[in-house]
Amino acid sequence: SVSGLAKAEQPQILPNHWTCSSDMIISIVNECDKEGYMPLLLVGDESEPMIRRYIDRSELYAGFIDNRVVAVCAVTCEGDGRYEVKNLAVEAVFRRKGIGRAMLEYVETLHPGSVILLGTGENPATLGFYMKSGYEYSHTVADFFVDNYPYPIIENGVVLRDMIYLSKHTYPKKQALIL
């Protein structure tokens, strides 16, 4: 369930959804339902004020297994064919099962012929995950976490300082050859 909300308050799955190999259904979240996903968004970004800076202009996707929300991914359009993954979070018990990768692949399929950007801290495990998913180093924003968070952000024992941006070029949809 989403943050212990009563059944009647649960966000609804939209009819346009995608099923991936892990038996997860990925669906876009209605604008009015985004607030219900805040507890899981806070797993991907510890600061609610930071999330509020991008959530209204984001498309929010939720991954469901057996009607349980297990992952979220917030993506913004940055113009010129560029999209940024602002938040990717997977419930702890569902990590290392391909859920995060499936969420990224879903976003990539939505934006063929684009550049997908994402920013993360200097955590080697997180950087390794993204690089294994095909993302490459783009640039660094020095002191991002120091300048934008009122307290130290610690991820897997690493105090985050700089934002490391990674990018991936998605391939355009192939056109059918008509003879």
Side-chain angles (χ1 to χ4, degrees):
S1 71
V2 180
S3 70
L5 294 176
K7 185 76 171 163
E9 299 172 307
Q10 291 292 320
Q12 299 298 308
I13 300 174
L14 295 179
N16 56 334
H17 65 274
W18 181 70
T19 303
C20 65
S21 60
S22 61
D23 296 323
M24 179 173 63
I25 295 172
I26 300 174
S27 181
I28 191 167
V29 174
N30 283 316
E31 287 295 319
C32 60
D33 291 333
K34 288 180 179 179
E35 190 67 30
Y37 293 85
M38 188 60 72
L40 194 49
L41 287 164
L42 285 164
V43 170
D45 185 338
E46 295 178 23
S47 171
E48 188 170 328
M50 285 296 286
I51 293 169
R52 293 200 183 284
R53 287 172 57 178
Y54 58 78
I55 197 64
D56 286 341
R57 63 186 184 93
S58 297
E59 291 291 339
L60 182 62
Y61 304 97
F64 297 84
I65 295 177
D66 295 329
N67 291 320
R68 175 181 176 181
V69 178
V70 298
V72 291
C73 186
V75 180
T76 58
C77 177
E78 299 299 319
D80 296 325
R82 295 177 310 124
Y83 296 86
E84 185 174 342
V85 173
K86 294 288 194 176
N87 191 317
L88 174 63
V90 178
E91 274 195 44
V93 297
F94 288 93
R95 291 185 192 143
R96 304 193 61 81
K97 299 180 186 318
I99 304 290
R101 187 165 307 207
M103 296 294 286
L104 287 175
E105 288 172 357
Y106 179 67
V107 168
E108 294 162 12
T109 63
L110 293 175
H111 306 292
S114 300
V115 175
I116 309 294
L117 297 166
L118 55 85
T120 189
E122 313 97 315
N123 182 326
T126 305
L127 287 168
F129 163 74
Y130 289 125
M131 290 181 166
K132 286 178 185 172
S133 298
Y135 288 79
E136 298 177 344
Y137 175 80
S138 172
H139 63 281
T140 299
V141 177
D143 296 326
F144 178 87
F145 292 98
V146 175
D147 294 342
N148 289 284
Y149 289 83
Y151 48 83
I153 301 296
I154 302 169
E155 188 177 290
N156 295 332
V158 177
V159 178
L160 304 183
R161 181 173 198 79
D162 300 335
M163 175 79 79
I164 310 298
Y165 273 91
L166 305 171
S167 66
K168 182 175 186 177
H169 294 268
T170 62
Y171 294 101
K173 289 183 179 177
K174 293 182 181 174
Q175 299 295 320
L177 181 62
I178 301 173
L179 300 174

